[in-house]
Amino acid sequence: MANFSFILGIIGNVISILMFAAPIKTFKRIIKKKSTEDFKGIPYITTLLSTCLWTFYGLLKPGGLLVVTVNGAGAILHIIYVTLFLIYAPKPLKIQSMKLVAIINIAFLGAVIAITLLAVHGTTRLTLVGFLCAALNIGMYAAPLAATRTVIKMKSVEYIPFFLSFFQFLNGGVWTAYAVLVKDYFIGVPNGIGFILGAAQLILYFMYYKSSPTKSTEEKGSAHLMKREIQMKDVNRAHENENNRNLHKGKSLPKPSLVRQYSERLVKTLSNTPSSLGSHNVNDIEKGLKEAH
């Protein structure tokens, strides 16, 4: 049984390192776009605290080498992730995340280590750190669920890191089995909950996977929009040319209103003119009408 638990511990180490390495793809995207977009920093901040405390727990626990190695590697990776997140996060989120790092990863972690080493003695040290690690491990497994609201609202799994959820699911299962064999409930309880939460994340992923727009669909949509814009520009240009032609044509035509106005004025003049003067005005009237045309 001891050999089997050691083998499970080795398998758990491999899966845990793969789980800790899963966000590499996410951070490649963040570096490429120079933006954290809608990704949340809290999963990496809480996991950093969790891995640091588990490393401390492994150092306190006799025979805790496997716990130290895997969580030490996870802590190093998450220091890199948190640093990159702080570099590329927008200013309001950066300030908020820096406050969380200062409170959680520096002040709280430092206080726990100091109190454990200075104020607590014997087996109580392991019990105190074990309870804290268990609580934080549950928080680490639950942290990716922070993106659940975004996923449901957008009906897209873009912000669910699939490999992280998948390896959390496997990691929870393997470490639960290991804890049962070595009878360590501080490892078993949080990893059992992590197994369930990992399964929930995978279910959510597959629920919205088909409804998520693929890259080819987005490219086709963009091409269609560009084509429609070009067509609209052509239609607007044709209407503008037609209006210009009509305007030019209208300017070349005589102004009937001037002829009508001049004719009305002449008729009024005739009606007010005495009959003895009518013969003298006929020629003037004809001349005026010709000039108006």
Side-chain angles (χ1 to χ4, degrees):
M1 292 297 289
N3 289 334
F4 186 59
S5 65
F6 183 76
I7 292 168
L8 273 179
I10 295 293
I11 294 170
N13 266 253
V14 173
I15 293 173
S16 293
I17 289 171
L18 289 173
M19 180 186 74
F20 293 142
I24 289 175
K25 184 179 179 182
T26 298
F27 280 92
K28 279 184 178 179
R29 171 175 170 169
I30 288 172
I31 292 168
K32 184 178 179 181
K33 295 195 173 184
K34 296 182 178 180
S35 170
T36 56
E37 300 180 290
D38 284 342
F39 289 106
K40 310 296 181 183
I42 192 69
Y44 311 107
I45 294 170
T46 55
T47 304
L48 175 57
L49 176 62
S50 177
T51 50
C52 288
L53 277 176
W54 275 112
T55 303
F56 184 50
Y57 176 84
L59 290 171
L60 294 174
K61 180 181 172 68
L65 178 64
L66 291 174
V67 179
V68 172
T69 53
V70 66
N71 285 285
I76 292 168
L77 283 172
H78 278 82
I79 288 171
I80 297 170
Y81 298 152
V82 170
T83 303
L84 289 173
F85 190 87
L86 292 176
I87 290 170
Y88 292 106
K91 192 173 180 179
L93 182 59
K94 183 181 294 187
I95 294 170
Q96 183 184 6
S97 300
M98 287 178 71
K99 288 178 181 177
L100 286 173
V101 169
I103 294 168
I104 295 173
N105 299 128
I106 298 174
F108 181 76
L109 178 63
V112 169
I113 294 173
I115 292 169
T116 303
L117 294 177
L118 299 175
V120 184
H121 304 282
T123 57
T124 312
R125 283 181 176 177
L126 197 63
T127 304
L128 174 64
V129 178
F131 273 115
L132 287 172
C133 287
L136 287 169
N137 214 25
I138 294 169
M140 181 194 75
Y141 281 122
L145 293 173
T148 301
R149 184 179 177 184
T150 305
V151 171
I152 295 171
K153 183 179 178 181
M154 297 178 67
K155 298 186 183 301
S156 171
V157 296
E158 185 179 3
Y159 297 105
I160 288 185
F162 172 76
F163 287 107
L164 179 59
S165 300
F166 177 68
F167 286 122
Q168 279 188 351
F169 172 74
L170 291 181
N171 187 66
V174 171
W175 281 108
T176 301
Y178 171 84
V180 170
L181 292 176
V182 299
K183 297 178 180 177
D184 190 327
Y185 299 107
F186 294 125
I187 295 175
V189 172
N191 281 288
I193 294 171
F195 177 76
I196 295 168
L197 292 176
Q201 290 170 45
L202 290 176
I203 290 169
L204 188 67
Y205 183 89
F206 287 111
M207 278 177 62
Y208 291 102
Y209 176 74
K210 290 184 178 180
S211 62
S212 299
T214 60
K215 189 175 180 182
S216 59
T217 305
E218 290 175 356
E219 288 174 353
K220 286 179 182 178
S222 300
H224 180 71
L225 286 172
M226 288 179 67
K227 185 177 179 181
R228 191 172 181 82
E229 282 183 13
I230 292 169
Q231 289 175 345
M232 289 299 295
K233 285 180 181 178
D234 291 339
V235 170
N236 291 335
R237 195 179 294 114
H239 281 305
E240 188 178 347
N241 291 336
E242 186 178 352
N243 290 335
N244 288 336
R245 282 197 300 269
N246 290 337
L247 184 63
H248 179 71
K249 187 176 179 181
K251 285 181 179 179
S252 63
L253 292 173
K255 298 179 180 179
S257 59
L258 292 175
V259 176
R260 193 178 301 111
Q261 188 178 10
Y262 191 69
S263 300
E264 289 174 355
R265 190 181 300 132
L266 289 174
V267 170
K268 187 177 180 181
T269 303
L270 278 173
S271 63
N272 294 329
T273 305
S275 59
S276 59
L277 296 175
S279 59
H280 294 286
N281 290 325
V282 171
N283 293 332
D284 292 336
I285 294 169
E286 291 177 354
K287 185 178 178 181
L289 287 171
K290 287 178 182 179
E291 286 177 357
H293 287 288

